[in-house]
């Protein structure tokens, strides 16, 4: 059964432009998508939900990944959205693909960010020292976001080194403002749902050729969580894809180069959807 997702709206909903459905990753929340919506909503209507088990869309029982699609379908019906472009970051990109496969008549375009139809990781084993340094870096960053001393002493030696490569204060301010609260609002049921899907060996590459809409695929060259190579394979299998890989960045590259990423998205949207 679908649930009523908590969501936020932004942008010119009275315009004729096609709306953007923005889907966050894991762990994540709709707040994490502000890096996109604050820019995109200047020109495009945006709808950004907290997925089931995340943020303000909490549940009290386990659920399979397929429930996300039922929830999103209900949300789009409630908002009377017959057509949309889906922007998905990491897990959100996987759900974008699933939505496009299930409802090709509704999904007119996709923007896949740090995501893949066959998500592969190259993340090294995590040690207890990694966890300790990450906890210290996170606590200090929450207290003093973007503090250069903390970034040098702890951030660059913690697990953040696999999430970002530039280690800019701006990036750490995003981590403090959006990632920290999202981590603590990601439920145990959301964790279990994703882990079960990965254990089953998720792979939708064979179905990508049936997706007719244009797709923008963005990746970070140093991504260890979902490798750029797996994102590239997804782009190659999609009939109408545009591929961009950014150097010197990792899985959280929208928080490393927000201006560049949003400029590329704006340009792609204008090329494909300005006539809507």
């Amino acid at each position: 059964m679908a649930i009523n997702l908590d969501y936020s709206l932004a942008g010119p909903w009275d315009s004729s432009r096609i709306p953007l459905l923005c889907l966050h990753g894991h762990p994540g929340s709709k707040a994490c998508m502000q890096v996109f919506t604050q820019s995109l909503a200047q020109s495009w209507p945006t709808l950004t939900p907290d997925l089931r088990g995340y943020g303000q869309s909490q549940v009290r029982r386990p659920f399979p990944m397929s429930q996300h699609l039922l929830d999103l379908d209900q949300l789009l019906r409630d908002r009377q959205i017959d057509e949309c472009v889906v922007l998905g970051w990491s897990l959100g990109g996987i759900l974008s693909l699933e939505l496009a496969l299930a409802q090709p008549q509704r999904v007119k375009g996709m923007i896949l960010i740090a995501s893949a139809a066959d998500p592969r990781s190259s993340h090294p084993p995590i040690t207890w020292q990694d966890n300790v340094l990450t906890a210290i870096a996170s606590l200090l960053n929450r207290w003093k976001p973007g503090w250069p001393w903390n970034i040098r002493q702890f951030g660059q030696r913690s697990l953040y080194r696999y999430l970002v490569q530039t280690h800019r204060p701006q990036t750490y301010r995003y981590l403090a403002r959006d990632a920290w609260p999202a981590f603590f609002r990601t439920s145990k049921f959301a964790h279990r749902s994703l882990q079960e899907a990965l254990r089953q060996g998720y792979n939708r590459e064979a179905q990508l050729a049936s997706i007719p809409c244009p797709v923008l695929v963005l990746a970070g060259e140093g991504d260890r969580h979902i490798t750029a190579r797996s994102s590239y394979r997804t782009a190659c299998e999609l009939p109408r894809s545009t591929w961009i890989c950014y150097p010197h960045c990792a899985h959280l590259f929208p928080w490393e180069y927000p201006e560049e990423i949003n400029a590329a998205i704006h340009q792609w949207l204008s090329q494909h959807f300005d006539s809507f």
Side-chain angles (χ1 to χ4, degrees):
M1 178 182 293
I3 64 170
N4 293 322
L5 299 176
D6 192 81
Y7 64 87
S8 62
L9 298 173
W13 279 87
D14 57 345
S15 77
S16 60
R17 285 192 161 176
I18 190 168
L20 307 180
L21 173 65
C22 303
L23 305 179
H24 63 76
H26 173 95
S29 72
K30 62 180 181 294
C32 295
M33 303 303 284
Q34 292 180 90
V35 67
F36 307 108
T37 59
Q38 287 180 346
S39 173
L40 296 175
Q42 297 175 23
S43 305
W44 302 85
T46 64
L47 168 62
T48 312
D50 280 329
L51 297 169
R52 176 186 290 246
Y54 299 84
Q56 300 300 315
S57 298
Q58 293 298 311
V59 292
R60 297 183 178 181
R61 62 188 65 183
F63 61 89
M65 289 290 290
S66 57
Q67 286 293 143
H68 289 306
L69 296 184
L70 297 178
D71 298 337
L72 293 171
D73 178 67
Q74 184 64 54
L75 175 61
L76 293 171
R77 289 177 183 272
D78 290 344
R79 294 296 310 173
Q80 298 182 328
I81 296 174
D82 297 323
E83 298 179 338
C84 64
V85 172
V86 191
L87 183 157
W89 188 357
S90 193
L91 170 63
I94 293 172
L95 295 178
S96 302
L97 289 168
E98 290 297 318
L99 196 61
L101 289 167
Q103 301 187 31
Q105 76 288 351
R106 174 178 269 164
V107 178
K108 299 302 181 183
M110 284 189 292
I111 302 164
L112 306 181
I113 299 165
S115 193
D118 180 18
R120 298 298 180 93
S121 172
S122 62
H123 200 292
I126 297 173
T127 67
W128 69 267
Q129 293 97 330
D130 287 330
N131 287 325
V132 170
L133 290 168
T134 304
I136 295 171
S138 299
L139 288 169
L140 289 175
N141 191 51
R142 183 67 171 171
W143 170 62
K144 194 171 183 179
W147 186 18
W149 182 86
N150 177 42
I151 295 172
R152 290 193 304 270
Q153 295 299 318
F154 297 106
Q156 294 183 21
R157 298 160 57 205
S158 73
L159 290 171
Y160 289 136
R161 70 188 187 275
Y162 300 125
L163 288 166
V164 301
Q165 290 195 342
T166 56
H167 295 280
R168 297 173 178 174
Q170 171 187 247
T171 304
Y172 278 75
R173 285 191 285 270
Y174 278 116
L175 289 167
R177 187 192 73 179
D178 299 329
W180 173 281
F183 177 81
F184 287 104
R185 291 293 293 169
T186 297
S187 71
K188 61 182 180 181
F189 303 121
H191 284 292
R192 291 176 187 171
S193 178
L194 179 58
Q195 289 168 2
E196 180 59 28
L198 294 175
R199 276 196 297 269
Q200 293 175 3
Y202 180 85
N203 186 344
R204 297 287 261 167
E205 281 189 350
Q207 288 75 43
L208 295 180
S210 67
I211 296 178
C213 66
V215 185
L216 175 63
V217 184
L218 305 179
E221 183 183 48
D223 195 334
R224 306 297 293 270
H225 289 71
I226 298 179
T227 66
R229 185 180 183 89
S230 61
S231 297
Y232 179 68
R233 288 203 311 269
T234 295
C236 290
E237 295 297 327
L238 289 161
R240 300 176 62 193
S241 71
T242 300
W243 162 256
I244 304 176
C245 186
Y246 294 90
H248 313 303
C249 57
H251 193 64
L252 301 184
F253 67 89
W255 285 343
E256 297 190 81
Y257 298 107
E259 293 82 8
E260 293 89 335
I261 305 306
N262 281 306
I265 294 172
H266 273 290
Q267 181 179 17
W268 182 84
L269 285 169
S270 297
Q271 288 174 347
H272 291 280
F273 299 103
D274 251 352
S275 61
F276 273 75

